[in-house]
Amino acid sequence: MEPATKPSAQTEDAAIARMDWAELEAECVRCRRCGLCETRTQVVFGVGARDAEVLFVGEGPGEQEDLQGEPFVGRAGKLLDDMLELIDLDRSKIYIANMVKCRPPQNRDPLNIEQEACSVWLSRQIALIRPRILVCLGRIAAMTYIRPDFKITREHGQWTVRNGIMTMALFHPAALLRDPRRRPETFVDLKTLQEAIRSYCTHTY
């Protein structure tokens, strides 16, 4: 008997692009598409309303996220919750996910090869959610979803349209913990986001 051949990456990606939420999460937690699977405690799939009109995207899980299996927990997660509360949002009204679903060692930036291997999961999440607004948390997400040469210190809070989705970037909560001087700018950006939600979203927030 001929040994079974492993499906090609293109075949796997095509199958993932047809999955529903349950299939997608079940397959994602088994993912071994890059080396991050060797060091993770668990996959951090995402959290929130799966019909959300607002999607927040970070770069990758940190230590606490890896331990708890939920994005944006610990100090950065608490700050994100406080930021959301300022504009009458909470995790039940939005969806939060990361570009890579496993923690990079020592919280380093995810490598390009890791981002590419993991992109199929978030792409399918976006397709299922169909958000009206996408908020990039930090420069890494902004460089992927807005523009490779995106400069978050100059372009945070500015709107662009990507694939029909209103898209903007905020400073990552971890960056705001390191440099609280950025918080007044972020408050202005959050109010800009709130106005866009009121204008473009159909849900009551």
Side-chain angles (χ1 to χ4, degrees):
M1 177 183 292
E2 291 290 330
T5 58
K6 183 179 179 180
S8 68
Q10 292 83 357
T11 301
E12 289 181 348
D13 288 357
I16 291 168
R18 296 190 297 271
M19 290 179 179
D20 62 22
W21 276 109
E23 295 169 328
L24 187 69
E25 184 166 9
E27 193 66 23
C28 184
V29 299
R30 294 193 293 265
C31 180
R32 302 190 65 82
R33 295 165 68 96
C34 78
L36 293 181
C37 68
E38 302 295 338
T39 55
R40 72 188 180 210
T41 302
Q42 56 186 318
V43 169
V44 182
F45 182 69
V47 68
R50 291 180 172 181
D51 62 347
E53 293 182 297
V54 185
L55 170 64
F56 282 70
V57 175
E59 60 192 61
E63 181 181 14
Q64 290 302 312
E65 289 80 5
D66 177 59
L67 293 172
Q68 299 183 41
E70 182 173 327
F72 287 92
V73 294
R75 292 179 66 221
K78 176 62 169 61
L79 180 54
L80 178 60
D81 288 341
D82 291 343
M83 292 162 62
L84 295 174
E85 186 177 356
L86 286 172
I87 55 173
D88 301 321
L89 293 180
D90 60 51
R91 293 179 186 234
S92 71
K93 299 175 182 176
I94 63 171
Y95 197 86
I96 307 173
N98 281 310
M99 293 172 53
V100 297
K101 307 302 188 185
C102 302
R103 180 196 180 195
Q106 287 76 54
N107 294 351
R108 62 161 170 75
D109 292 345
L111 304 176
N112 287 339
I113 192 171
E114 294 161 353
Q115 295 181 41
E116 290 165 5
C118 211
S119 63
V120 65
W121 306 116
L122 183 56
S123 293
R124 183 55 182 160
Q125 286 175 307
I126 293 172
L128 287 167
I129 296 168
R130 299 176 64 187
R132 290 174 178 261
I133 292 175
L134 190 154
V135 181
C136 298
L137 292 168
R139 63 179 179 84
I140 301 295
M143 289 168 65
T144 296
Y145 286 97
I146 298 178
R147 196 178 67 254
D149 62 349
F150 187 88
K151 304 297 184 186
I152 195 162
T153 54
R154 295 202 302 263
E155 300 176 89
H156 61 88
Q158 298 179 15
W159 288 107
T160 188
V161 178
R162 290 288 181 267
N163 301 316
I165 303 172
M166 294 281 294
T167 305
M168 74 178 305
L170 299 175
F171 285 109
H172 195 285
L176 296 174
L177 289 172
R178 292 191 298 269
D179 186 1
R181 294 172 298 176
R182 296 291 188 183
R183 294 192 184 195
E185 300 170 79
T186 301
F187 178 77
V188 174
D189 294 345
L190 287 168
K191 289 300 182 180
T192 300
L193 171 59
Q194 185 177 41
E195 288 302 314
I197 290 171
R198 289 171 175 169
S199 298
Y200 293 103
C201 295
T202 60
H203 292 178
T204 300
Y205 288 98

